[in-house]
Amino acid sequence: MRFHHNLVQATVDALHNIFNDGKYADQAIQKILKRDTRWGSRDRGFIAETTYDIVRYKRLYAEIANVHEPFKPVDLWRMTAVWIVLKGHAVPAWEEYYNTPERRIKGRFDELSKNRVFRESLPDWMDELALK
């Protein structure tokens, strides 16, 4: 899969709006998609799918990337790098992904996958409630 910088930048912007500004995911994505009318259905699908996937597995990806809230732009780029590696794609040779430790990401994923809370990306309160 070939990644385009403007699409990944749009995903990072959407994640910033969701995680740091408290926007709802659908509203943040809708606003980002209106930003550039030249994007086709594949481009829009990539932005939406990637953003929703990272939002769904936020706890896992943040733990693998070793980032914490509030997320800085660099942290969000690291989370997208984790998403790219875990999806099995080659990391683009961009400045934002310089020195991305692919083996460490995969190893950390294998390590964290043994823990249900991280594997399913559940909040602690929901895990405790489910155990009861």
Tab-separated table of all heavy atoms in Angstrom, residues 31-79:
chain	number	residue	atom	x	y	z
A	31	LYS	N	-15.606	16.864	9.303
A	31	LYS	CA	-14.987	18.176	9.118
A	31	LYS	C	-13.691	18.063	8.313
A	31	LYS	O	-13.425	18.879	7.430
A	31	LYS	CB	-14.712	18.818	10.480
A	31	LYS	CG	-14.125	20.198	10.391
A	31	LYS	CD	-13.902	20.789	11.770
A	31	LYS	CE	-13.253	22.159	11.661
A	31	LYS	NZ	-12.951	22.716	12.972
A	32	ILE	N	-12.887	17.053	8.605
A	32	ILE	CA	-11.625	16.844	7.887
A	32	ILE	C	-11.899	16.514	6.425
A	32	ILE	O	-11.214	17.004	5.526
A	32	ILE	CB	-10.793	15.726	8.556
A	32	ILE	CG1	-10.312	16.161	9.941
A	32	ILE	CG2	-9.629	15.305	7.678
A	32	ILE	CD1	-9.333	17.305	9.962
A	33	LEU	N	-12.913	15.697	6.165
A	33	LEU	CA	-13.201	15.292	4.788
A	33	LEU	C	-13.705	16.452	3.939
A	33	LEU	O	-13.526	16.454	2.722
A	33	LEU	CB	-14.217	14.149	4.766
A	33	LEU	CG	-13.732	12.820	5.351
A	33	LEU	CD1	-14.830	11.777	5.284
A	33	LEU	CD2	-12.481	12.333	4.653
A	34	LYS	N	-14.311	17.442	4.568
A	34	LYS	CA	-14.783	18.613	3.832
A	34	LYS	C	-13.648	19.568	3.483
A	34	LYS	O	-13.825	20.470	2.676
A	34	LYS	CB	-15.836	19.368	4.652
A	34	LYS	CG	-17.161	18.658	4.712
A	34	LYS	CD	-18.166	19.466	5.497
A	34	LYS	CE	-19.496	18.731	5.553
A	34	LYS	NZ	-20.480	19.485	6.319
A	35	ARG	N	-12.487	19.346	4.080
A	35	ARG	CA	-11.353	20.245	3.908
A	35	ARG	C	-10.811	20.245	2.476
A	35	ARG	O	-10.371	21.270	1.987
A	35	ARG	CB	-10.257	19.831	4.888
A	35	ARG	CG	-9.203	20.863	5.085
A	35	ARG	CD	-8.389	20.595	6.311
A	35	ARG	NE	-7.572	19.400	6.158
A	35	ARG	CZ	-6.783	18.932	7.107
A	35	ARG	NH1	-6.732	19.529	8.277
A	35	ARG	NH2	-6.065	17.862	6.911
A	36	ASP	N	-10.844	19.096	1.809
A	36	ASP	CA	-10.281	19.010	0.459
A	36	ASP	C	-11.264	18.268	-0.441
A	36	ASP	O	-11.489	17.068	-0.272
A	36	ASP	CB	-8.942	18.276	0.500
A	36	ASP	CG	-8.140	18.443	-0.775
A	36	ASP	OD1	-8.756	18.688	-1.828
A	36	ASP	OD2	-6.907	18.325	-0.714
A	37	THR	N	-11.839	18.981	-1.394
A	37	THR	CA	-12.855	18.385	-2.266
A	37	THR	C	-12.236	17.498	-3.346
A	37	THR	O	-12.972	16.792	-4.037
A	37	THR	CB	-13.688	19.492	-2.945
A	37	THR	OG1	-12.806	20.360	-3.669
A	37	THR	CG2	-14.456	20.290	-1.907
A	38	ARG	N	-10.924	17.518	-3.495
A	38	ARG	CA	-10.277	16.688	-4.515
A	38	ARG	C	-10.146	15.236	-4.093
A	38	ARG	O	-9.850	14.373	-4.909
A	38	ARG	CB	-8.889	17.240	-4.836
A	38	ARG	CG	-8.927	18.617	-5.470
A	38	ARG	CD	-7.541	19.168	-5.619
A	38	ARG	NE	-6.966	19.327	-4.274
A	38	ARG	CZ	-5.709	19.598	-4.022
A	38	ARG	NH1	-4.859	19.742	-5.018
A	38	ARG	NH2	-5.267	19.757	-2.794
A	39	TRP	N	-10.323	14.942	-2.808
A	39	TRP	CA	-10.195	13.570	-2.338
A	39	TRP	C	-11.325	12.728	-2.892
A	39	TRP	O	-12.499	13.090	-2.804
A	39	TRP	CB	-10.223	13.517	-0.813
A	39	TRP	CG	-8.983	14.049	-0.169
A	39	TRP	CD1	-7.728	14.101	-0.705
A	39	TRP	CD2	-8.877	14.601	1.141
A	39	TRP	NE1	-6.849	14.650	0.190
A	39	TRP	CE2	-7.525	14.966	1.332
A	39	TRP	CE3	-9.781	14.820	2.159
A	39	TRP	CZ2	-7.066	15.532	2.507
A	39	TRP	CZ3	-9.321	15.389	3.330
A	39	TRP	CH2	-7.974	15.738	3.495
A	40	GLY	N	-10.963	11.567	-3.410
A	40	GLY	CA	-11.954	10.637	-3.925
A	40	GLY	C	-12.445	9.699	-2.839
A	40	GLY	O	-12.106	9.838	-1.660
A	41	SER	N	-13.215	8.709	-3.233
A	41	SER	CA	-13.807	7.798	-2.252
A	41	SER	C	-12.743	6.949	-1.555
A	41	SER	O	-12.874	6.646	-0.365
A	41	SER	CB	-14.851	6.905	-2.912
A	41	SER	OG	-14.258	6.104	-3.909
A	42	ARG	N	-11.713	6.556	-2.271
A	42	ARG	CA	-10.640	5.781	-1.628
A	42	ARG	C	-9.898	6.616	-0.597
A	42	ARG	O	-9.559	6.128	0.487
A	42	ARG	CB	-9.644	5.284	-2.662
A	42	ARG	CG	-10.129	4.118	-3.458
A	42	ARG	CD	-9.030	3.596	-4.338
A	42	ARG	NE	-9.539	2.561	-5.204
A	42	ARG	CZ	-8.885	2.060	-6.214
A	42	ARG	NH1	-7.674	2.518	-6.503
A	42	ARG	NH2	-9.414	1.112	-6.956
A	43	ASP	N	-9.632	7.864	-0.944
A	43	ASP	CA	-8.941	8.755	-0.011
A	43	ASP	C	-9.782	8.970	1.240
A	43	ASP	O	-9.290	8.890	2.366
A	43	ASP	CB	-8.645	10.107	-0.665
A	43	ASP	CG	-7.742	9.983	-1.884
A	43	ASP	OD1	-6.964	9.000	-1.952
A	43	ASP	OD2	-7.828	10.854	-2.768
A	44	ARG	N	-11.044	9.240	1.047
A	44	ARG	CA	-11.946	9.458	2.180
A	44	ARG	C	-12.076	8.195	3.022
A	44	ARG	O	-12.097	8.247	4.252
A	44	ARG	CB	-13.319	9.904	1.681
A	44	ARG	CG	-13.305	11.245	1.012
A	44	ARG	CD	-14.642	11.526	0.306
A	44	ARG	NE	-14.563	12.758	-0.449
A	44	ARG	CZ	-14.756	13.956	0.062
A	44	ARG	NH1	-15.050	14.079	1.337
A	44	ARG	NH2	-14.645	15.029	-0.684
A	45	GLY	N	-12.149	7.064	2.336
A	45	GLY	CA	-12.233	5.786	3.049
A	45	GLY	C	-10.994	5.514	3.872
A	45	GLY	O	-11.078	5.022	5.003
A	46	PHE	N	-9.826	5.842	3.320
A	46	PHE	CA	-8.579	5.644	4.061
A	46	PHE	C	-8.558	6.487	5.325
A	46	PHE	O	-8.223	5.994	6.407
A	46	PHE	CB	-7.366	6.003	3.184
A	46	PHE	CG	-6.080	6.029	3.950
A	46	PHE	CD1	-5.406	4.851	4.227
A	46	PHE	CD2	-5.556	7.224	4.422
A	46	PHE	CE1	-4.222	4.870	4.949
A	46	PHE	CE2	-4.376	7.252	5.140
A	46	PHE	CZ	-3.706	6.071	5.413
A	47	ILE	N	-8.915	7.756	5.192
A	47	ILE	CA	-8.898	8.657	6.350
A	47	ILE	C	-9.870	8.158	7.419
A	47	ILE	O	-9.519	8.060	8.596
A	47	ILE	CB	-9.237	10.100	5.923
A	47	ILE	CG1	-8.126	10.666	5.042
A	47	ILE	CG2	-9.452	10.991	7.149
A	47	ILE	CD1	-8.485	11.962	4.351
A	48	ALA	N	-11.092	7.833	7.015
A	48	ALA	CA	-12.104	7.398	7.977
A	48	ALA	C	-11.716	6.073	8.624
A	48	ALA	O	-11.773	5.927	9.859
A	48	ALA	CB	-13.456	7.281	7.287
A	49	GLU	N	-11.308	5.098	7.818
A	49	GLU	CA	-10.973	3.781	8.355
A	49	GLU	C	-9.784	3.844	9.303
A	49	GLU	O	-9.805	3.258	10.386
A	49	GLU	CB	-10.656	2.831	7.201
A	49	GLU	CG	-10.285	1.437	7.656
A	49	GLU	CD	-9.913	0.538	6.482
A	49	GLU	OE1	-10.373	0.790	5.359
A	49	GLU	OE2	-9.154	-0.421	6.727
A	50	THR	N	-8.755	4.565	8.900
A	50	THR	CA	-7.557	4.683	9.733
A	50	THR	C	-7.873	5.399	11.039
A	50	THR	O	-7.460	4.960	12.116
A	50	THR	CB	-6.448	5.439	8.973
A	50	THR	OG1	-6.224	4.791	7.726
A	50	THR	CG2	-5.173	5.475	9.772
A	51	THR	N	-8.616	6.476	10.953
A	51	THR	CA	-8.954	7.238	12.157
A	51	THR	C	-9.791	6.398	13.111
A	51	THR	O	-9.485	6.321	14.303
A	51	THR	CB	-9.707	8.530	11.786
A	51	THR	OG1	-8.907	9.287	10.884
A	51	THR	CG2	-10.000	9.361	13.020
A	52	TYR	N	-10.826	5.750	12.607
A	52	TYR	CA	-11.671	4.916	13.469
A	52	TYR	C	-10.881	3.761	14.074
A	52	TYR	O	-11.086	3.394	15.237
A	52	TYR	CB	-12.880	4.373	12.704
A	52	TYR	CG	-14.003	5.363	12.552
A	52	TYR	CD1	-14.541	5.651	11.299
A	52	TYR	CD2	-14.553	6.009	13.649
A	52	TYR	CE1	-15.580	6.548	11.149
A	52	TYR	CE2	-15.593	6.910	13.511
A	52	TYR	CZ	-16.102	7.174	12.261
A	52	TYR	OH	-17.126	8.070	12.117
A	53	ASP	N	-9.973	3.171	13.305
A	53	ASP	CA	-9.182	2.059	13.802
A	53	ASP	C	-8.269	2.508	14.941
A	53	ASP	O	-8.151	1.827	15.964
A	53	ASP	CB	-8.361	1.456	12.664
A	53	ASP	CG	-7.962	0.023	12.920
A	53	ASP	OD1	-8.662	-0.666	13.682
A	53	ASP	OD2	-6.949	-0.416	12.346
A	54	ILE	N	-7.634	3.657	14.772
A	54	ILE	CA	-6.747	4.163	15.827
A	54	ILE	C	-7.552	4.591	17.054
A	54	ILE	O	-7.130	4.362	18.192
A	54	ILE	CB	-5.857	5.302	15.293
A	54	ILE	CG1	-4.891	4.744	14.245
A	54	ILE	CG2	-5.084	5.980	16.424
A	54	ILE	CD1	-4.063	5.786	13.529
A	55	VAL	N	-8.722	5.158	16.854
A	55	VAL	CA	-9.577	5.530	17.986
A	55	VAL	C	-10.009	4.268	18.738
A	55	VAL	O	-9.999	4.230	19.969
A	55	VAL	CB	-10.800	6.344	17.512
A	55	VAL	CG1	-11.830	6.467	18.610
A	55	VAL	CG2	-10.362	7.717	17.041
A	56	ARG	N	-10.372	3.218	17.998
A	56	ARG	CA	-10.838	1.980	18.627
A	56	ARG	C	-9.747	1.347	19.486
A	56	ARG	O	-9.996	0.848	20.571
A	56	ARG	CB	-11.309	0.999	17.547
A	56	ARG	CG	-11.493	-0.442	17.992
A	56	ARG	CD	-12.570	-0.584	19.049
A	56	ARG	NE	-12.709	-1.936	19.506
A	56	ARG	CZ	-12.089	-2.463	20.553
A	56	ARG	NH1	-11.247	-1.742	21.261
A	56	ARG	NH2	-12.298	-3.708	20.912
A	57	TYR	N	-8.525	1.350	18.981
A	57	TYR	CA	-7.416	0.710	19.692
A	57	TYR	C	-6.458	1.737	20.293
A	57	TYR	O	-5.256	1.504	20.383
A	57	TYR	CB	-6.669	-0.241	18.756
A	57	TYR	CG	-7.507	-1.433	18.391
A	57	TYR	CD1	-8.124	-1.526	17.153
A	57	TYR	CD2	-7.720	-2.451	19.305
A	57	TYR	CE1	-8.920	-2.602	16.830
A	57	TYR	CE2	-8.513	-3.530	19.002
A	57	TYR	CZ	-9.109	-3.610	17.755
A	57	TYR	OH	-9.908	-4.675	17.441
A	58	LYS	N	-7.007	2.839	20.732
A	58	LYS	CA	-6.208	3.939	21.278
A	58	LYS	C	-5.308	3.479	22.423
A	58	LYS	O	-4.115	3.789	22.437
A	58	LYS	CB	-7.135	5.048	21.770
A	58	LYS	CG	-6.452	6.137	22.548
A	58	LYS	CD	-7.487	7.090	23.107
A	58	LYS	CE	-6.931	7.934	24.220
A	58	LYS	NZ	-7.987	8.691	24.890
A	59	ARG	N	-5.838	2.740	23.345
A	59	ARG	CA	-5.052	2.339	24.504
A	59	ARG	C	-3.882	1.442	24.095
A	59	ARG	O	-2.760	1.623	24.569
A	59	ARG	CB	-5.944	1.618	25.513
A	59	ARG	CG	-5.216	1.282	26.785
A	59	ARG	CD	-6.137	0.830	27.868
A	59	ARG	NE	-5.395	0.633	29.100
A	59	ARG	CZ	-5.912	0.242	30.229
A	59	ARG	NH1	-7.208	0.028	30.312
A	59	ARG	NH2	-5.176	0.082	31.292
A	60	LEU	N	-4.133	0.505	23.215
A	60	LEU	CA	-3.077	-0.391	22.750
A	60	LEU	C	-2.011	0.369	21.975
A	60	LEU	O	-0.820	0.244	22.257
A	60	LEU	CB	-3.674	-1.495	21.873
A	60	LEU	CG	-2.680	-2.447	21.213
A	60	LEU	CD1	-1.951	-3.262	22.269
A	60	LEU	CD2	-3.393	-3.350	20.223
A	61	TYR	N	-2.425	1.192	21.015
A	61	TYR	CA	-1.465	1.914	20.186
A	61	TYR	C	-0.683	2.938	21.007
A	61	TYR	O	0.514	3.115	20.783
A	61	TYR	CB	-2.163	2.609	19.019
A	61	TYR	CG	-2.730	1.663	17.984
A	61	TYR	CD1	-3.620	2.104	17.037
A	61	TYR	CD2	-2.381	0.320	17.947
A	61	TYR	CE1	-4.147	1.245	16.078
A	61	TYR	CE2	-2.899	-0.539	17.005
A	61	TYR	CZ	-3.776	-0.072	16.068
A	61	TYR	OH	-4.282	-0.920	15.126
A	62	ALA	N	-1.333	3.588	21.946
A	62	ALA	CA	-0.634	4.565	22.790
A	62	ALA	C	0.389	3.867	23.680
A	62	ALA	O	1.493	4.392	23.895
A	62	ALA	CB	-1.635	5.345	23.635
A	63	GLU	N	0.059	2.700	24.165
A	63	GLU	CA	0.994	1.955	25.011
A	63	GLU	C	2.187	1.464	24.191
A	63	GLU	O	3.328	1.529	24.643
A	63	GLU	CB	0.280	0.771	25.666
A	63	GLU	CG	1.084	0.072	26.719
A	63	GLU	CD	1.337	0.913	27.962
A	63	GLU	OE1	0.535	1.804	28.274
A	63	GLU	OE2	2.351	0.657	28.642
A	64	ILE	N	1.929	0.986	22.984
A	64	ILE	CA	3.027	0.529	22.124
A	64	ILE	C	3.930	1.699	21.754
A	64	ILE	O	5.153	1.584	21.774
A	64	ILE	CB	2.484	-0.161	20.864
A	64	ILE	CG1	1.809	-1.488	21.237
A	64	ILE	CG2	3.593	-0.398	19.845
A	64	ILE	CD1	1.077	-2.156	20.102
A	65	ALA	N	3.322	2.840	21.411
A	65	ALA	CA	4.092	4.025	21.016
A	65	ALA	C	4.709	4.744	22.213
A	65	ALA	O	5.503	5.657	22.040
A	65	ALA	CB	3.206	4.991	20.236
A	66	ASN	N	4.308	4.335	23.418
A	66	ASN	CA	4.795	4.946	24.659
A	66	ASN	C	4.493	6.445	24.690
A	66	ASN	O	5.376	7.264	24.939
A	66	ASN	CB	6.289	4.684	24.839
A	66	ASN	CG	6.728	4.924	26.256
A	66	ASN	OD1	5.926	4.846	27.186
A	66	ASN	ND2	8.004	5.225	26.442
A	67	VAL	N	3.229	6.782	24.431
A	67	VAL	CA	2.771	8.165	24.472
A	67	VAL	C	1.593	8.265	25.443
A	67	VAL	O	0.913	7.285	25.697
A	67	VAL	CB	2.366	8.685	23.071
A	67	VAL	CG1	3.573	8.720	22.153
A	67	VAL	CG2	1.264	7.849	22.463
A	68	HIS	N	1.392	9.456	25.978
A	68	HIS	CA	0.344	9.660	26.961
A	68	HIS	C	-0.411	10.944	26.652
A	68	HIS	O	0.112	11.852	26.021
A	68	HIS	CB	0.943	9.729	28.371
A	68	HIS	CG	1.800	8.544	28.699
A	68	HIS	ND1	1.271	7.305	28.972
A	68	HIS	CD2	3.144	8.398	28.758
A	68	HIS	CE1	2.247	6.447	29.206
A	68	HIS	NE2	3.410	7.097	29.073
A	69	GLU	N	-1.651	10.998	27.143
A	69	GLU	CA	-2.482	12.183	26.923
A	69	GLU	C	-1.968	13.332	27.773
A	69	GLU	O	-1.471	13.093	28.860
A	69	GLU	CB	-3.934	11.881	27.290
A	69	GLU	CG	-4.578	10.910	26.329
A	69	GLU	CD	-6.070	10.776	26.558
A	69	GLU	OE1	-6.764	11.782	26.355
A	69	GLU	OE2	-6.496	9.699	26.956
A	70	PRO	N	-2.115	14.549	27.336
A	70	PRO	CA	-2.607	15.011	26.031
A	70	PRO	C	-1.565	14.728	24.954
A	70	PRO	O	-0.364	14.882	25.179
A	70	PRO	CB	-2.809	16.509	26.218
A	70	PRO	CG	-1.850	16.885	27.290
A	70	PRO	CD	-1.731	15.672	28.190
A	71	PHE	N	-2.042	14.298	23.807
A	71	PHE	CA	-1.151	13.897	22.719
A	71	PHE	C	-0.647	15.109	21.946
A	71	PHE	O	-1.429	15.950	21.530
A	71	PHE	CB	-1.878	12.958	21.754
A	71	PHE	CG	-2.318	11.676	22.394
A	71	PHE	CD1	-3.657	11.372	22.517
A	71	PHE	CD2	-1.386	10.766	22.868
A	71	PHE	CE1	-4.066	10.190	23.097
A	71	PHE	CE2	-1.792	9.578	23.458
A	71	PHE	CZ	-3.137	9.283	23.573
A	72	LYS	N	0.654	15.155	21.750
A	72	LYS	CA	1.264	16.168	20.888
A	72	LYS	C	1.211	15.644	19.462
A	72	LYS	O	1.016	14.445	19.252
A	72	LYS	CB	2.718	16.392	21.299
A	72	LYS	CG	2.893	16.883	22.704
A	72	LYS	CD	4.366	16.965	23.044
A	72	LYS	CE	4.515	16.773	24.532
A	72	LYS	NZ	5.796	16.287	24.921
A	73	PRO	N	1.396	16.506	18.462
A	73	PRO	CA	1.408	16.019	17.073
A	73	PRO	C	2.418	14.895	16.842
A	73	PRO	O	2.135	13.937	16.121
A	73	PRO	CB	1.751	17.261	16.260
A	73	PRO	CG	1.235	18.392	17.093
A	73	PRO	CD	1.447	17.975	18.513
A	74	VAL	N	3.583	14.970	17.469
A	74	VAL	CA	4.591	13.920	17.322
A	74	VAL	C	4.048	12.588	17.843
A	74	VAL	O	4.284	11.528	17.252
A	74	VAL	CB	5.882	14.310	18.079
A	74	VAL	CG1	6.873	13.169	18.117
A	74	VAL	CG2	6.500	15.537	17.469
A	75	ASP	N	3.309	12.641	18.948
A	75	ASP	CA	2.725	11.433	19.522
A	75	ASP	C	1.710	10.804	18.577
A	75	ASP	O	1.647	9.580	18.432
A	75	ASP	CB	2.043	11.749	20.855
A	75	ASP	CG	3.014	12.273	21.902
A	75	ASP	OD1	4.234	12.043	21.750
A	75	ASP	OD2	2.554	12.930	22.856
A	76	LEU	N	0.921	11.642	17.934
A	76	LEU	CA	-0.088	11.127	16.999
A	76	LEU	C	0.567	10.510	15.775
A	76	LEU	O	0.084	9.499	15.251
A	76	LEU	CB	-1.059	12.246	16.617
A	76	LEU	CG	-1.888	12.790	17.781
A	76	LEU	CD1	-2.676	14.017	17.350
A	76	LEU	CD2	-2.814	11.722	18.334
A	77	TRP	N	1.668	11.093	15.316
A	77	TRP	CA	2.415	10.491	14.207
A	77	TRP	C	2.977	9.142	14.626
A	77	TRP	O	2.999	8.195	13.830
A	77	TRP	CB	3.527	11.420	13.728
A	77	TRP	CG	3.037	12.501	12.829
A	77	TRP	CD1	2.765	13.795	13.168
A	77	TRP	CD2	2.732	12.396	11.431
A	77	TRP	NE1	2.309	14.491	12.065
A	77	TRP	CE2	2.284	13.662	10.988
A	77	TRP	CE3	2.796	11.351	10.511
A	77	TRP	CZ2	1.908	13.908	9.677
A	77	TRP	CZ3	2.424	11.596	9.198
A	77	TRP	CH2	1.989	12.858	8.795
A	78	ARG	N	3.422	9.031	15.853
A	78	ARG	CA	3.938	7.742	16.342
A	78	ARG	C	2.832	6.700	16.388
A	78	ARG	O	3.060	5.530	16.078
A	78	ARG	CB	4.559	7.912	17.728
A	78	ARG	CG	5.878	8.672	17.670
A	78	ARG	CD	6.483	8.854	19.023
A	78	ARG	NE	7.025	7.586	19.499
A	78	ARG	CZ	7.627	7.437	20.651
A	78	ARG	NH1	7.765	8.461	21.454
A	78	ARG	NH2	8.098	6.268	21.011
A	79	MET	N	1.636	7.124	16.763
A	79	MET	CA	0.509	6.179	16.781
A	79	MET	C	0.151	5.725	15.376
A	79	MET	O	-0.193	4.555	15.164
A	79	MET	CB	-0.691	6.804	17.494
A	79	MET	CG	-0.483	6.928	18.989
A	79	MET	SD	-1.808	7.772	19.852
A	79	MET	CE	-3.100	6.543	19.776
